Short mmCIF file of all heavy atoms in Angstrom, two decimals:
data_model
loop_
_atom_site.label_atom_id
_atom_site.label_comp_id
_atom_site.label_asym_id
_atom_site.label_seq_id
_atom_site.Cartn_x
_atom_site.Cartn_y
_atom_site.Cartn_z
N PRO A 200 58.39 -6.88 -53.52
CA PRO A 200 58.45 -8.31 -53.17
C PRO A 200 58.10 -8.62 -51.71
O PRO A 200 57.61 -9.71 -51.41
CB PRO A 200 59.91 -8.67 -53.48
CG PRO A 200 60.30 -7.73 -54.57
CD PRO A 200 59.59 -6.45 -54.26
N ASP A 201 58.32 -7.67 -50.80
CA ASP A 201 57.94 -7.89 -49.40
C ASP A 201 56.47 -8.27 -49.28
O ASP A 201 56.07 -9.07 -48.42
CB ASP A 201 58.16 -6.61 -48.58
CG ASP A 201 59.61 -6.37 -48.24
OD1 ASP A 201 60.46 -7.19 -48.63
OD2 ASP A 201 59.90 -5.36 -47.58
N THR A 202 55.65 -7.68 -50.15
CA THR A 202 54.21 -7.91 -50.10
C THR A 202 53.84 -9.32 -50.52
O THR A 202 52.74 -9.79 -50.22
CB THR A 202 53.51 -6.89 -51.03
OG1 THR A 202 53.88 -5.58 -50.62
CG2 THR A 202 52.01 -7.00 -50.97
N LEU A 203 54.76 -9.99 -51.17
CA LEU A 203 54.48 -11.33 -51.69
C LEU A 203 55.07 -12.43 -50.81
O LEU A 203 55.00 -13.61 -51.16
CB LEU A 203 55.05 -11.45 -53.11
CG LEU A 203 54.65 -10.32 -54.07
CD1 LEU A 203 55.34 -10.52 -55.42
CD2 LEU A 203 53.15 -10.25 -54.24
N ASP A 204 55.64 -12.06 -49.68
CA ASP A 204 56.29 -13.02 -48.78
C ASP A 204 55.23 -13.91 -48.14
O ASP A 204 54.42 -13.46 -47.32
CB ASP A 204 57.07 -12.26 -47.71
CG ASP A 204 57.89 -13.16 -46.82
OD1 ASP A 204 57.37 -14.22 -46.40
OD2 ASP A 204 59.05 -12.81 -46.51
N ALA A 205 55.24 -15.19 -48.50
CA ALA A 205 54.20 -16.11 -48.03
C ALA A 205 54.20 -16.24 -46.51
O ALA A 205 53.13 -16.38 -45.89
CB ALA A 205 54.40 -17.48 -48.68
N GLU A 206 55.37 -16.19 -45.90
CA GLU A 206 55.44 -16.31 -44.44
C GLU A 206 54.74 -15.13 -43.76
O GLU A 206 53.98 -15.31 -42.80
CB GLU A 206 56.90 -16.38 -43.98
CG GLU A 206 57.06 -16.56 -42.48
CD GLU A 206 58.51 -16.67 -42.05
OE1 GLU A 206 59.39 -16.76 -42.94
OE2 GLU A 206 58.77 -16.67 -40.83
N LEU A 207 54.96 -13.93 -44.27
CA LEU A 207 54.31 -12.75 -43.71
C LEU A 207 52.80 -12.79 -43.95
O LEU A 207 52.01 -12.50 -43.05
CB LEU A 207 54.90 -11.47 -44.32
CG LEU A 207 56.32 -11.11 -43.92
CD1 LEU A 207 56.77 -9.85 -44.64
CD2 LEU A 207 56.44 -10.92 -42.41
N LEU A 208 52.42 -13.16 -45.16
CA LEU A 208 50.99 -13.20 -45.49
C LEU A 208 50.26 -14.21 -44.61
O LEU A 208 49.09 -14.00 -44.26
CB LEU A 208 50.80 -13.56 -46.96
CG LEU A 208 51.38 -12.58 -47.99
CD1 LEU A 208 51.04 -13.03 -49.40
CD2 LEU A 208 50.88 -11.16 -47.74
N GLY A 209 50.95 -15.27 -44.22
CA GLY A 209 50.35 -16.28 -43.36
C GLY A 209 50.08 -15.80 -41.95
O GLY A 209 49.35 -16.45 -41.19
N LYS A 210 50.65 -14.67 -41.57
CA LYS A 210 50.48 -14.13 -40.21
C LYS A 210 49.34 -13.10 -40.11
O LYS A 210 49.08 -12.58 -39.03
CB LYS A 210 51.78 -13.50 -39.73
CG LYS A 210 52.93 -14.49 -39.59
CD LYS A 210 54.21 -13.77 -39.16
CE LYS A 210 55.37 -14.76 -39.03
NZ LYS A 210 56.63 -14.07 -38.65
N ILE A 211 48.69 -12.81 -41.21
CA ILE A 211 47.60 -11.83 -41.19
C ILE A 211 46.40 -12.43 -40.46
O ILE A 211 45.91 -13.49 -40.83
CB ILE A 211 47.21 -11.43 -42.63
CG1 ILE A 211 48.39 -10.76 -43.33
CG2 ILE A 211 46.00 -10.50 -42.62
CD1 ILE A 211 48.18 -10.49 -44.80
#
Side-chain angles (χ1 to χ4, degrees):
D201 283 0
T202 303
L203 309 177
D204 186 316
E206 182 178 353
L207 290 178
L208 298 183
K210 296 178 180 178
I211 297 172

